[in-house]
Amino acid sequence: MDERTTRPVAVVTGASSGIGAATARALAADGWEVVVGARRADRIEAVAAETGGRGHPLDVTDPASVDAFVAAVPECRLLVNNAGGALGWATVAEADDDDWRTMYETNVLGTVRMVRGLLPALEASGDGHVVTVGSIAGHEPYPFGAGYNAAKFAVRAVSGVLRQELLGRPVRVSEIDPGMVETEFSLVRFGGDTERAAKVYEGVTPLQAEDVAECVRWVASRPSHVNVDQLIVLARDQAGARQIHRRPDNG
Ligand SMILES: NC(=O)c1ccc[n+]([C@@H]2O[C@H](COP(=O)([O-])OP(=O)(O)OC[C@H]3O[C@@H](n4cnc5c(N)ncnc54)[C@H](OP(=O)(O)O)[C@@H]3O)[C@@H](O)[C@H]2O)c1
């Protein structure tokens, strides 16, 4: 029999870099057939090839793109909603509507669209699981972060509601909420400003994408009756959204 048909299918969104790419690798190593999606098709193809999975272009802000992606995944047991991120660093008084809209579209509506599209397959698998990557920013608001805070607080609300709505049905709902992880996240947040992005991690030993991927892999590999509702994971150098220990000698 084709080996593919024997492996359960895991969809990972935002798998072209950072946490998503690392998660695809970790899940593939754990025996999942990964189906990866993001906007950068070349990167998605590379991750799919590396993990022995499948890749499809995906823009979670575009309903037609989500529909096409979902149509290519008739069977699915695990959905990792990871696509997302932050844009900008502004006070509420100086909030940029476009940044806020994109953050809401990507993190919140993107997650909702993926869940809505794949829920029938997840349920039909008899042992479905939705794992969403939220953030410490969804627990603790901080100055200049309101747009991202609002989006990740909303993501957490969606996970909480979904868990209640699916009670009694064979689909688990988990959320993994990391603190600072060294990925392209800050580069994207600061519009490609490498110097500013590098400063975020100065003097700190942040989490790496693989650390969060291991959390996803562990949560997804618990027995079916175990639902890890929320998992907050921070670097030892971080004790809250803005409580960060920086070593002056390194910074
Ligand atoms: N790094 C951190 O400090 C941190 C902390 C807490 C939570 N998080 C969360 O972790 C998740 C992954 O972020 P990361 O740190 O790995 O950053 P990253 O390296 O920038 O990865 C973000 C991923 O999301 C994808 N993405 C963005 N917009 C998308 C869209 N419209 N449709 C489909 N995919 C889209 C990107 O791919 P394309 O650009 O190719 O589409 C990329 O693969 C995000 O939800 C982020 O909010 C990150």
Side-chain angles (χ1 to χ4, degrees), residues 13-21 37-41 43-44 58-62 81-86 102 105-107 133-137 148 152 176-186 188 201 209 212:
T13 69
S16 58
S17 62
I19 296 167
R39 293 166 302 179
R40 287 170 291 181
R43 294 236 204 153
I44 278 302
L58 172 68
D59 181 348
V60 296
T61 68
D62 174 1
N81 286 308
N82 166 77
T102 302
E105 272 283 340
T106 311
N107 294 282
V133 180
S135 171
I136 187 68
Y148 186 54
K152 289 302 196 188
I176 297 183
D177 296 329
M180 59 160 54
V181 191
E182 195 170 15
T183 62
E184 294 176 15
F185 175 86
S186 296
V188 172
Y201 310 107
V212 183

Side-chain angles (χ1 to χ4, degrees), residues 1-21:
M1 197 195 293
D2 179 354
E3 194 207 341
R4 274 188 172 181
T5 60
T6 66
R7 290 185 290 163
V9 170
V11 164
V12 183
T13 69
S16 58
S17 62
I19 296 167

Side-chain angles (χ1 to χ4, degrees), residues 85-205:
L87 284 179
W89 186 256
T91 59
V92 173
E94 290 169 342
D96 182 300
D97 288 14
D98 287 338
D99 282 353
W100 277 63
R101 206 172 283 118
T102 302
M103 285 189 276
Y104 196 84
E105 272 283 340
T106 311
N107 294 282
V108 190
L109 281 173
T111 294
V112 170
R113 288 188 188 105
M114 291 305 299
V115 169
R116 195 171 52 203
L118 285 171
L119 199 50
L122 289 164
E123 191 163 5
S125 78
D127 189 14
H129 199 165
V130 177
V131 178
T132 299
V133 180
S135 171
I136 187 68
H139 293 262
E140 292 180 37
Y142 54 85
F144 309 103
Y148 186 54
N149 291 136
K152 289 302 196 188
F153 267 78
V155 164
R156 190 150 66 90
V158 171
S159 293
V161 169
L162 191 62
R163 194 175 301 114
Q164 295 173 52
E165 289 175 349
L166 294 177
L167 188 64
R169 287 154 68 181
V171 184
R172 290 181 279 172
V173 180
S174 303
E175 183 167 317
I176 297 183
D177 296 329
M180 59 160 54
V181 191
E182 195 170 15
T183 62
E184 294 176 15
F185 175 86
S186 296
L187 198 60
V188 172
R189 175 171 229 169
F190 298 125
D193 184 335
T194 45
E195 230 171 87
R196 203 166 169 202
K199 278 210 175 309
V200 172
Y201 310 107
E202 233 169 45
V204 175
T205 306

